[in-house]
Amino acid sequence: MRAVVQTVGRASVTVDGEVVGAIDNGLLVLLGVTHTDTAETARTMARKVHELRILDDERSASDTGAAILVVSQFTLYGDARKGRRPTWTAAAPAEVAEPLVTAVVEALRERGAKVETGRFRAHMLVESVNIGPRTVLLDL
């Protein structure tokens, strides 16, 4: 599982002209799933995201109650080392990835996080206003 975590002043996801998820002052998490990921990987990722000390004064979302916007992003497993056209073979198929993305979201909520999401398999417009910018790659 791979996540790009960014601190944001605001972020939102729009699908077909409708805002389906939005936060202010929190974390935007672009989340990719690979073939070997499990429910345990999802729980670990949720813990790492929630406790990541990336906010002001080295605080985390668990410390501050900052909101989290999780957006599924299979392209995090794109590989363009050979040529100019990425291959997506390392990305888990949707049938595997969707329940694991949901598991991360549920684990974050169980930890007390306020979580918004994008919409799986939809063409999403993701907007964000980064703070810092501060960006961390979590690769489990």
Side-chain angles (χ1 to χ4, degrees), residues 33-37 92-101 120-121:
V33 177
T34 193
H35 303 279
T36 56
D37 290 332
E95 300 75 30
V96 172
E98 186 172 14
L100 290 172
V101 170
F120 203 87
R121 292 192 194 190

Side-chain angles (χ1 to χ4, degrees), residues 78-100:
D79 183 353
R81 288 179 288 183
K82 295 180 182 179
R84 297 171 291 155
R85 184 181 309 158
T87 178
W88 314 112
T89 56
E95 300 75 30
V96 172
E98 186 172 14
L100 290 172

Side-chain angles (χ1 to χ4, degrees), residues 66-121:
I68 302 170
L69 175 59
V70 177
V71 179
S72 175
Q73 187 88 41
F74 79 92
T75 59
L76 290 177
Y77 279 101
D79 183 353
R81 288 179 288 183
K82 295 180 182 179
R84 297 171 291 155
R85 184 181 309 158
T87 178
W88 314 112
T89 56
E95 300 75 30
V96 172
E98 186 172 14
L100 290 172
V101 170
T102 299
V104 170
V105 169
E106 289 173 355
L108 283 165
R109 288 180 176 147
E110 287 171 6
R111 298 176 65 81
K114 177 188 181 294
V115 183
E116 295 282 322
T117 65
R119 186 172 294 157
F120 203 87
R121 292 192 194 190

